Amino acid sequence: MPQEPIIVLDSVTRHFGRTTAVRNLSLSIEAGQLIGLVGPSGCGKTTTVRMLCGILPPSEGTVRVFGKDPLRFDCADRVRIGYLPQHFLLYPNLSVAANIRFVAGLYGLGLRQRRQRIREVLELVELWPERSKQASELSGGMQRRLALAATLLHDPELLFLDEPTVGQDPILRRKIWEWLRSLERRGRTLFVTTHYVTDAEMCTRVALMDLGRLIAFDTPERLRRRAFGGDMIEVIARQDIHAFLRSLERMREVRAIQVRSQDRLTAIVDDAGKALPEIASSLRSEGLTPDSVREAQPPFEDVFERLIRQHNRQERRT
Amino acid sequence: MKPIYRILAFIGKEIHSILVQPQLLLLLVAGPFAVLLAFGLGYRPSGPELRTIVVQPPSAEQEQAVGRYLEGVGRPLHVVERTSDLSAALARLQARQVELVVVIPPDVRETLLEGRNVQLVFYHNAIDPTRIGYITAVVDGATSQINRAIVRQVVGEQQASAADYERVLVDLQDALGQIRSALQENDRPRAREISQAVRLNSGLVAGLSLLGSDPLSTEPPPATDLAQQARELDALLAEPESDAAALDQSLARMQEDTDRMLEALRRTRRIPPDVFVAPLVWDVQGVSTYQPGYVAYHSPTVLALLIQHLGITLAALSLVDERSAGAIELFRAAPVRAPEVLIGKFAAYLLLIAVTSAGLVGLLTVALHVPLLGDWRWLIAVLAALIAHSLSLGFLISALANSRSQAIQMSMLVLLGSIFFSGFFVPLQDFALPVRVLSFSLPVTYGIETLQQVVLRGEPPYLPYVGITAIWAIGLWIVSVRLLRRLFVGG
């Protein structure tokens, strides 16, 4: 039986005066996924999240979360969501513990349950030893983790996290993604915005936005294939690179070839898993010994750049 | 249960936010204490001293005497110089080195003898109408004091000379007795001889008849003309055929009038000159159980104003701060309702201000010796109504203001309005009706009245005022909640 989508955006547009932050956005997300909303700054990610949380009404179109208009959420609905705003919105003059206690009260956590959950989330974000410090004394990264702890405190089933990794060092960024993955494994739905495109790989599905438009929405793998027209196999050879080029051009599996440098070629194939052994064997049979033949994982910067270019071209054509 | 947790979260957060700011805590608690203490110890209701230069013609005796009288007036008139140079005195007045210049005109004696008033001219350099009113009152008081002193001296002198008239009247009585004896002895020539002396003496005391008059009576004094009576007596004695009964009647009338005049003269001599100068004096007696001094009287007023200001500023900044920090966005996504936010904040501030108010009341009673004559439960009710009204007004400001500076400006405007329109300085009845409506929208207007009733009169507060304050508090709170709801919906 198909699962009911937990989030539905249908032709949603949001204007701010004469500026359009989100244009005709349609998305449908099922529960239990880690969704990444990726795109450059100002592309409409935060506006989308704020509309999904019921903070902003859309100018056009409909937004449905749990099958309801978020603007009409009652308290029971709001307890089911967790929202991490882009900026630190807790109280700098209060201690870490006082801030968390306040949020616990806001979400109606009972006193006994509260004590245990506060410790759990502060330990999770590694702020338990800092609980007596004033929030203003924390670094930017620590404040971000405090805000994340406040969002996770009531264990919501749907989390909207606006740039949770901003200001974190690479190790902590990875840790945060691991926490988010563990929440996903526990059946939570996460809607995470990030402008670190490399973070996209950590998501179940990625929505790519640019200038308020949805460019693509798929798994990271499929996006990569869509950007390059298939899987990529990289051939590195310090011998005559032209001989490798000619050989690859003759192969049926290879749909396109790119010369990356004097000793590096990239072949686009439908299925790298199948094509890789065949290409290696064909090269060897022609007496060509490459230094390396392997499946290539182009960085997501390239993937997104290509997808945006393709989208723009298609838009111009239509 | 969950709404209670949410309300408690706001109470805890607000109290915690204040407790972790020692400077704010100091301002909240010690600030009003310091203001009240400074008011209580520093308020001196007597008017300021007026440094005065007396300008008088050189070496004229009467004018010098007026100058001496001016010096004798005393505080607040302080004569710093006596001079004959008017322009130098006016220059010092212009330079604000003195507050008054009094010019005594020349020819004081001649003016008085011509039956005209001597006009003293007082120059001042004030522009403040209140100050001008004060100067006018001081000048009026000083002039009256000098006039009384002059009249006192004249009356004293007149009383001293009245002893001579008394002797004349006693002689007159004696002479009338001698005439009566001479007539009984049928010695008309001797009676006639004595009557000649009576004619002379009666002329001397003719004017004294006025002394018998009663200034507070509407009846005119009986006509008394001893000289005329003496002439008539003499004429009767001159006629040998005159009727004995007519003579006896004439003598009796003269005797009666002389007695009356003597009695009046003696009575007049017994009256001290001060009584003549100011026949009526006053004494004001209050019927309330306690007559407060200036500090005690104004203390509840200052207390009400401090509490109002504290309530308004705390509440006015609270929502603005949440908005500017972006926390409202957090509340919009959280399961919290606008009334829960305001109830939480309201309860926290009510608690904080109640503690501060208890301290202020303690300060009033212990340090400033203001008695709490009424029931302390009424005091709590009045303070609670005042705090609630102030907080609700503050929340309304907070919901209307878009920035911290707007909220501060609005709070300051309310404070300014409170000083002018609450009866703090100017009585409410001095305002036109539309302005009085403004007065009765301010918490402090009700606070002053009800606190004075409870603290200084020992009576229950005027209950309609407590009720109206509570209605204002609830009404403003509801409006604030509606405005906050609109903020929560956003857009």
Side-chain angles (χ1 to χ4, degrees), chain B residues 207-279:
Chain B
L208 289 177
S209 59
L210 286 170
L211 286 171
S213 66
D214 178 358
L216 298 179
S217 169
T218 50
E219 295 293 321
T224 307
D225 189 348
L226 277 179
Q228 177 65 27
Q229 288 174 19
R231 274 197 300 277
E232 284 170 10
L233 176 68
D234 194 41
L236 282 171
L237 287 170
E239 286 174 28
E241 309 287 305
S242 59
D243 185 7
L247 274 170
D248 195 45
Q249 196 181 356
S250 177
L251 275 170
R253 202 169 71 232
M254 278 191 78
Q255 184 75 47
E256 189 186 323
D257 284 354
T258 313
D259 287 350
R260 191 161 48 81
M261 286 169 69
L262 191 62
E263 189 199 332
L265 188 66
R266 283 175 175 157
R267 195 173 59 219
T268 306
R269 283 193 65 206
R270 280 198 304 271
I271 296 172
D274 277 336
V275 178
F276 267 108
V277 170

Coordinates of all heavy atoms in Angstrom, one line a residue, chain B residues 207-279:
Chain B
G207 N -15.1 113.3 69.5 CA -14.8 112.3 68.5 C -14.7 110.9 69.0 O -14.7 110.0 68.2
L208 N -14.6 110.7 70.3 CA -14.4 109.4 70.9 C -15.6 108.5 70.8 O -15.6 107.3 71.0 CB -14.0 109.5 72.4 CG -12.6 110.0 72.6 CD1 -12.4 110.1 74.2 CD2 -11.5 109.1 72.1
S209 N -16.7 109.1 70.4 CA -17.9 108.3 70.3 C -17.8 107.1 69.4 O -18.4 106.1 69.5 CB -19.1 109.2 69.8 OG -18.8 109.7 68.5
L210 N -16.9 107.3 68.4 CA -16.7 106.2 67.4 C -16.2 105.0 68.1 O -16.4 103.8 67.6 CB -15.7 106.6 66.3 CG -16.3 107.6 65.3 CD1 -15.1 108.1 64.4 CD2 -17.3 107.0 64.5
L211 N -15.5 105.1 69.2 CA -14.9 104.0 69.8 C -15.9 103.0 70.3 O -15.6 101.8 70.4 CB -14.0 104.4 71.1 CG -12.7 105.1 70.7 CD1 -12.2 105.7 72.0 CD2 -11.8 104.1 70.1
G212 N -17.1 103.4 70.5 CA -18.1 102.5 71.0 C -18.7 101.7 69.9 O -19.5 100.8 70.1
S213 N -18.4 102.0 68.6 CA -19.0 101.3 67.5 C -18.5 99.8 67.4 O -17.4 99.5 67.8 CB -18.7 102.0 66.2 OG -17.3 101.9 65.9
D214 N -19.4 99.0 66.9 CA -19.0 97.6 66.7 C -18.9 97.3 65.2 O -19.8 97.3 64.5 CB -20.2 96.7 67.3 CG -19.9 95.2 67.1 OD1 -18.9 94.9 66.5 OD2 -20.8 94.5 67.6
P215 N -17.6 97.0 64.7 CA -17.4 96.9 63.3 C -18.1 95.7 62.7 O -18.4 95.6 61.5 CB -15.9 96.8 63.1 CG -15.4 96.3 64.5 CD -16.4 96.9 65.5
L216 N -18.5 94.7 63.5 CA -19.1 93.5 63.0 C -20.6 93.6 63.0 O -21.3 92.7 62.5 CB -18.7 92.2 63.8 CG -17.2 91.9 63.7 CD1 -16.9 90.7 64.5 CD2 -16.7 91.7 62.2
S217 N -21.1 94.7 63.6 CA -22.6 94.9 63.7 C -23.1 95.7 62.5 O -22.4 96.6 62.0 CB -22.9 95.6 65.0 OG -24.3 96.0 64.9
T218 N -24.3 95.3 62.0 CA -24.9 96.1 60.9 C -25.6 97.3 61.4 O -26.0 98.2 60.7 CB -25.9 95.2 60.1 OG1 -26.8 94.6 61.0 CG2 -25.1 94.1 59.3
E219 N -25.9 97.3 62.7 CA -26.6 98.5 63.3 C -25.6 99.7 63.5 O -24.5 99.5 63.9 CB -27.1 98.1 64.7 CG -28.1 97.0 64.8 CD -29.4 97.5 64.1 OE1 -29.8 98.7 64.3 OE2 -30.0 96.7 63.4
P220 N -26.0 100.9 63.1 CA -25.1 102.1 63.3 C -25.0 102.4 64.8 O -25.9 102.1 65.6 CB -25.9 103.2 62.6 CG -27.3 102.8 62.5 CD -27.3 101.3 62.5
P221 N -23.9 102.9 65.3 CA -23.7 103.2 66.7 C -24.7 104.3 67.1 O -25.0 105.2 66.2 CB -22.3 103.7 66.8 CG -21.9 104.1 65.4 CD -22.7 103.3 64.5
P222 N -25.2 104.3 68.3 CA -26.1 105.4 68.7 C -25.4 106.8 68.6 O -24.2 106.9 68.9 CB -26.4 105.0 70.2 CG -25.3 104.1 70.6 CD -24.8 103.4 69.4
A223 N -26.2 107.8 68.2 CA -25.7 109.1 68.0 C -25.2 109.7 69.3 O -26.0 109.6 70.3 CB -26.7 110.0 67.4
T224 N -24.0 110.1 69.4 CA -23.5 110.7 70.7 C -22.8 112.0 70.4 O -21.9 112.0 69.6 CB -22.5 109.8 71.3 OG1 -23.1 108.5 71.4 CG2 -22.0 110.2 72.7
D225 N -23.4 113.1 70.9 CA -22.7 114.4 70.7 C -22.7 115.1 72.0 O -23.6 115.9 72.4 CB -23.5 115.2 69.6 CG -22.7 116.4 69.2 OD1 -21.7 116.8 69.9 OD2 -23.0 117.0 68.2
L226 N -21.6 114.9 72.8 CA -21.5 115.4 74.1 C -21.5 116.9 74.1 O -22.0 117.6 75.0 CB -20.3 114.9 74.8 CG -20.4 113.5 75.5 CD1 -19.0 113.1 76.1 CD2 -21.4 113.5 76.6
A227 N -20.8 117.5 73.1 CA -20.7 118.9 73.0 C -22.1 119.6 72.9 O -22.4 120.6 73.6 CB -19.8 119.3 71.8
Q228 N -22.9 119.0 72.0 CA -24.3 119.5 71.8 C -25.1 119.4 73.1 O -25.8 120.3 73.6 CB -24.9 118.7 70.7 CG -26.4 119.1 70.4 CD -26.5 120.5 69.9 OE1 -25.6 121.1 69.3 NE2 -27.7 121.1 70.2
Q229 N -24.9 118.2 73.8 CA -25.6 117.9 75.0 C -25.2 118.9 76.1 O -26.0 119.4 76.9 CB -25.4 116.5 75.5 CG -26.1 115.5 74.7 CD -25.7 114.0 75.1 OE1 -25.2 113.8 76.2 NE2 -25.9 113.1 74.2
A230 N -23.9 119.2 76.1 CA -23.3 120.2 77.1 C -23.9 121.5 76.9 O -24.2 122.3 77.8 CB -21.8 120.2 77.0
R231 N -24.0 121.9 75.5 CA -24.6 123.2 75.2 C -26.1 123.3 75.7 O -26.5 124.3 76.3 CB -24.5 123.5 73.7 CG -23.1 124.0 73.3 CD -23.2 124.6 71.9 NE -23.6 123.7 70.9 CZ -22.7 122.8 70.3 NH1 -21.4 122.9 70.6 NH2 -23.1 122.0 69.4
E232 N -26.8 122.2 75.4 CA -28.2 122.2 75.8 C -28.3 122.3 77.3 O -29.2 123.0 77.9 CB -28.8 120.9 75.3 CG -29.1 120.9 73.9 CD -29.6 119.5 73.3 OE1 -29.8 118.6 74.2 OE2 -29.6 119.4 72.1
L233 N -27.5 121.6 78.1 CA -27.5 121.6 79.6 C -27.2 123.0 80.1 O -27.9 123.5 81.0 CB -26.5 120.6 80.1 CG -26.3 120.6 81.6 CD1 -27.6 120.0 82.3 CD2 -25.1 119.7 82.1
D234 N -26.2 123.6 79.4 CA -25.9 124.9 79.8 C -27.0 125.9 79.6 O -27.3 126.8 80.4 CB -24.6 125.4 79.0 CG -24.0 126.6 79.6 OD1 -23.9 126.7 80.9 OD2 -23.5 127.5 78.9
A235 N -27.7 125.7 78.5 CA -28.9 126.6 78.1 C -30.0 126.4 79.1 O -30.6 127.4 79.6 CB -29.4 126.3 76.7
L236 N -30.2 125.2 79.5 CA -31.3 124.9 80.5 C -30.9 125.5 81.9 O -31.8 126.1 82.5 CB -31.5 123.4 80.7 CG -32.2 122.6 79.6 CD1 -32.1 121.1 79.8 CD2 -33.7 123.1 79.7
L237 N -29.7 125.5 82.3 CA -29.3 126.0 83.5 C -29.3 127.6 83.5 O -29.5 128.2 84.5 CB -27.8 125.6 83.9 CG -27.7 124.1 84.3 CD1 -26.2 123.7 84.4 CD2 -28.4 123.9 85.7
A238 N -29.2 128.1 82.3 CA -29.2 129.6 82.1 C -30.6 130.1 82.4 O -30.8 131.3 82.7 CB -28.6 130.0 80.8
E239 N -31.6 129.3 82.1 CA -33.0 129.7 82.3 C -33.4 129.5 83.7 O -33.5 128.3 84.1 CB -33.9 128.9 81.3 CG -33.8 129.3 79.9 CD -34.6 128.5 79.0 OE1 -35.7 127.9 79.4 OE2 -34.2 128.3 77.8
P240 N -33.8 130.5 84.4 CA -34.2 130.3 85.8 C -35.5 129.5 86.0 O -35.6 128.8 86.9 CB -34.4 131.8 86.3 CG -34.0 132.7 85.2 CD -33.8 131.9 84.0
E241 N -36.3 129.5 84.9 CA -37.6 128.9 85.0 C -37.5 127.4 84.5 O -38.6 126.8 84.4 CB -38.7 129.6 84.1 CG -38.8 131.1 84.4 CD -39.4 131.4 85.7 OE1 -40.5 131.0 85.9 OE2 -38.7 132.1 86.5
S242 N -36.4 127.0 84.2 CA -36.3 125.7 83.5 C -36.8 124.6 84.4 O -36.7 124.6 85.6 CB -34.9 125.4 83.1 OG -34.0 125.4 84.2
D243 N -37.4 123.6 83.7 CA -38.0 122.5 84.4 C -36.9 121.6 85.0 O -36.0 121.2 84.4 CB -38.8 121.7 83.3 CG -39.6 120.6 83.9 OD1 -39.7 120.5 85.2 OD2 -40.1 119.8 83.1
A244 N -37.1 121.2 86.3 CA -36.2 120.3 87.0 C -36.1 119.0 86.3 O -35.0 118.4 86.2 CB -36.6 120.2 88.4
A245 N -37.2 118.5 85.8 CA -37.3 117.2 85.2 C -36.4 117.2 83.9 O -35.7 116.2 83.6 CB -38.7 116.8 84.9
A246 N -36.5 118.3 83.2 CA -35.8 118.4 81.9 C -34.3 118.4 82.2 O -33.5 117.8 81.5 CB -36.2 119.7 81.1
L247 N -33.9 119.1 83.3 CA -32.5 119.2 83.7 C -32.0 117.8 84.1 O -30.9 117.4 83.7 CB -32.3 120.2 84.9 CG -32.1 121.6 84.5 CD1 -32.2 122.5 85.8 CD2 -30.8 121.8 83.9
D248 N -32.8 117.1 84.8 CA -32.4 115.8 85.3 C -32.3 114.8 84.1 O -31.3 114.0 84.1 CB -33.5 115.3 86.2 CG -33.1 114.1 87.1 OD1 -31.9 114.2 87.6 OD2 -33.8 113.1 87.1
Q249 N -33.2 114.9 83.2 CA -33.1 114.1 82.0 C -31.9 114.3 81.2 O -31.2 113.4 80.7 CB -34.4 114.3 81.1 CG -34.6 113.3 80.1 CD -35.9 113.6 79.3 OE1 -36.6 114.6 79.6 NE2 -36.2 112.8 78.3
S250 N -31.5 115.7 81.0 CA -30.3 116.0 80.2 C -29.1 115.5 80.9 O -28.2 115.0 80.3 CB -30.3 117.6 80.1 OG -29.1 118.0 79.5
L251 N -29.1 115.7 82.3 CA -27.9 115.2 83.0 C -27.7 113.6 82.9 O -26.6 113.1 82.7 CB -28.0 115.6 84.5 CG -27.5 116.9 84.9 CD1 -28.0 117.3 86.3 CD2 -26.0 117.0 84.8
A252 N -28.9 113.0 83.0 CA -28.9 111.5 82.9 C -28.4 111.0 81.6 O -27.6 110.1 81.5 CB -30.3 111.0 83.2
R253 N -28.8 111.7 80.5 CA -28.4 111.3 79.2 C -26.9 111.5 79.0 O -26.2 110.6 78.5 CB -29.2 112.1 78.1 CG -29.2 111.4 76.8 CD -30.1 112.0 75.8 NE -29.7 113.3 75.3 CZ -30.4 114.4 75.3 NH1 -31.6 114.4 75.8 NH2 -29.9 115.5 74.8
M254 N -26.4 112.6 79.5 CA -24.9 112.9 79.4 C -24.1 111.9 80.2 O -23.1 111.4 79.8 CB -24.6 114.3 79.9 CG -24.8 115.4 78.8 SD -24.1 117.0 79.2 CE -22.4 116.8 78.9
Q255 N -24.7 111.6 81.4 CA -24.0 110.6 82.3 C -23.9 109.3 81.6 O -22.9 108.6 81.6 CB -24.8 110.5 83.6 CG -24.2 109.6 84.6 CD -23.0 110.3 85.3 OE1 -23.2 111.5 85.7 NE2 -21.9 109.6 85.4
E256 N -25.0 108.9 81.0 CA -25.1 107.6 80.3 C -24.1 107.5 79.2 O -23.3 106.6 79.0 CB -26.5 107.4 79.8 CG -26.8 106.0 79.3 CD -28.1 105.9 78.6 OE1 -29.1 106.5 79.1 OE2 -28.3 105.2 77.6
D257 N -24.1 108.6 78.3 CA -23.1 108.6 77.2 C -21.7 108.6 77.6 O -20.8 108.0 77.0 CB -23.4 109.8 76.3 CG -24.7 109.6 75.4 OD1 -25.2 108.4 75.5 OD2 -25.1 110.5 74.7
T258 N -21.4 109.4 78.7 CA -20.1 109.4 79.2 C -19.6 108.1 79.7 O -18.5 107.6 79.4 CB -19.9 110.5 80.3 OG1 -20.6 111.7 79.9 CG2 -18.5 110.8 80.6
D259 N -20.5 107.4 80.4 CA -20.2 106.1 80.9 C -19.9 105.1 79.8 O -18.9 104.4 79.8 CB -21.4 105.5 81.7 CG -21.6 106.1 83.1 OD1 -20.7 106.9 83.5 OD2 -22.6 105.9 83.7
R260 N -20.7 105.2 78.8 CA -20.6 104.3 77.6 C -19.2 104.6 76.9 O -18.5 103.6 76.6 CB -21.7 104.5 76.7 CG -21.8 103.5 75.6 CD -23.2 103.5 74.9 NE -23.6 104.8 74.6 CZ -23.3 105.5 73.5 NH1 -22.4 104.9 72.6 NH2 -23.7 106.7 73.2
M261 N -18.9 105.9 76.8 CA -17.6 106.2 76.1 C -16.4 105.8 76.9 O -15.4 105.3 76.4 CB -17.6 107.7 75.8 CG -18.5 108.1 74.7 SD -18.7 109.8 74.5 CE -17.2 110.3 73.9
L262 N -16.6 106.0 78.3 CA -15.4 105.6 79.1 C -15.2 104.1 79.1 O -14.0 103.6 79.0 CB -15.7 106.0 80.6 CG -14.6 106.0 81.5 CD1 -13.4 106.9 81.1 CD2 -15.0 106.4 82.9
E263 N -16.3 103.4 79.1 CA -16.2 101.9 79.0 C -15.5 101.5 77.7 O -14.6 100.6 77.7 CB -17.6 101.3 79.2 CG -17.5 99.8 79.4 CD -18.9 99.2 79.1 OE1 -19.9 99.8 79.2 OE2 -18.8 98.0 78.6
A264 N -16.0 102.2 76.6 CA -15.5 101.8 75.3 C -14.0 102.1 75.2 O -13.2 101.4 74.7 CB -16.2 102.5 74.2
L265 N -13.6 103.3 75.8 CA -12.2 103.7 75.8 C -11.3 102.7 76.6 O -10.3 102.4 76.1 CB -12.1 105.1 76.4 CG -10.8 105.8 76.2 CD1 -10.4 106.0 74.8 CD2 -10.7 107.1 77.0
R266 N -11.9 102.4 77.7 CA -11.1 101.4 78.6 C -10.9 100.1 77.9 O -9.9 99.5 77.8 CB -11.7 101.2 79.9 CG -11.5 102.4 80.8 CD -12.2 102.3 82.1 NE -11.9 103.4 83.0 CZ -12.6 103.9 84.0 NH1 -13.8 103.3 84.2 NH2 -12.2 104.9 84.7
R267 N -12.0 99.7 77.3 CA -12.0 98.4 76.5 C -11.0 98.5 75.4 O -10.2 97.6 75.2 CB -13.4 98.1 76.0 CG -13.6 96.7 75.5 CD -15.0 96.4 75.2 NE -15.5 97.3 74.1 CZ -16.7 97.9 74.0 NH1 -17.6 97.7 75.0 NH2 -17.0 98.6 73.0
T268 N -11.0 99.6 74.7 CA -10.1 99.8 73.6 C -8.7 99.8 74.0 O -7.8 99.2 73.3 CB -10.4 101.1 72.9 OG1 -11.8 101.1 72.5 CG2 -9.6 101.3 71.6
R269 N -8.4 100.4 75.2 CA -7.0 100.4 75.7 C -6.5 99.1 76.1 O -5.3 98.8 76.0 CB -6.9 101.4 76.9 CG -6.9 102.9 76.4 CD -6.5 103.8 77.6 NE -5.1 103.5 77.9 CZ -4.6 103.8 79.1 NH1 -5.4 104.2 80.1 NH2 -3.4 103.6 79.4
R270 N -7.5 98.2 76.5 CA -7.1 96.9 76.9 C -6.8 96.0 75.7 O -6.1 95.0 75.8 CB -8.2 96.2 77.7 CG -8.3 96.7 79.2 CD -9.1 95.7 80.0 NE -10.5 95.5 79.4 CZ -11.5 96.2 79.7 NH1 -11.4 97.2 80.6 NH2 -12.7 95.9 79.2
I271 N -7.3 96.3 74.5 CA -7.1 95.5 73.3 C -5.6 95.7 72.9 O -5.2 96.8 72.6 CB -8.1 95.8 72.2 CG1 -9.5 95.5 72.7 CG2 -7.8 95.0 71.0 CD1 -10.6 96.0 71.8
P272 N -4.8 94.6 72.7 CA -3.5 94.7 72.2 C -3.5 95.2 70.8 O -4.4 94.9 70.0 CB -2.9 93.3 72.3 CG -3.8 92.5 73.1 CD -5.2 93.2 73.0
P273 N -2.4 96.0 70.4 CA -2.3 96.5 69.0 C -2.4 95.4 68.0 O -3.0 95.6 66.9 CB -1.0 97.2 69.0 CG -0.7 97.5 70.4 CD -1.3 96.4 71.3
D274 N -1.9 94.2 68.2 CA -1.9 93.1 67.3 C -3.4 92.7 66.9 O -3.7 92.4 65.8 CB -1.2 91.9 67.8 CG 0.3 92.0 67.6 OD1 0.7 92.7 66.6 OD2 1.1 91.4 68.3
V275 N -4.2 92.8 67.9 CA -5.6 92.5 67.7 C -6.3 93.5 66.8 O -7.1 93.2 66.0 CB -6.4 92.3 69.0 CG1 -7.9 91.9 68.8 CG2 -5.7 91.2 69.8
F276 N -5.9 94.8 67.1 CA -6.5 95.8 66.2 C -6.0 95.6 64.8 O -6.8 95.8 63.8 CB -6.0 97.2 66.7 CG -6.9 97.8 67.7 CD1 -6.6 97.9 69.0 CD2 -8.1 98.4 67.2 CE1 -7.5 98.5 69.9 CE2 -9.0 99.0 68.1 CZ -8.7 99.0 69.4
V277 N -4.7 95.3 64.6 CA -4.2 95.1 63.2 C -4.8 94.0 62.5 O -5.1 94.1 61.3 CB -2.6 94.9 63.4 CG1 -2.1 94.6 62.0 CG2 -2.0 96.2 63.9
A278 N -5.0 92.9 63.2 CA -5.6 91.7 62.5 C -6.7 91.2 63.5 O -6.4 90.3 64.2 CB -4.5 90.6 62.3
P279 N -7.9 91.8 63.4 CA -8.9 91.4 64.3 C -9.3 89.9 64.1 O -9.6 89.2 65.1 CB -10.1 92.3 63.9 CG -9.5 93.4 63.1 CD -8.3 92.8 62.5

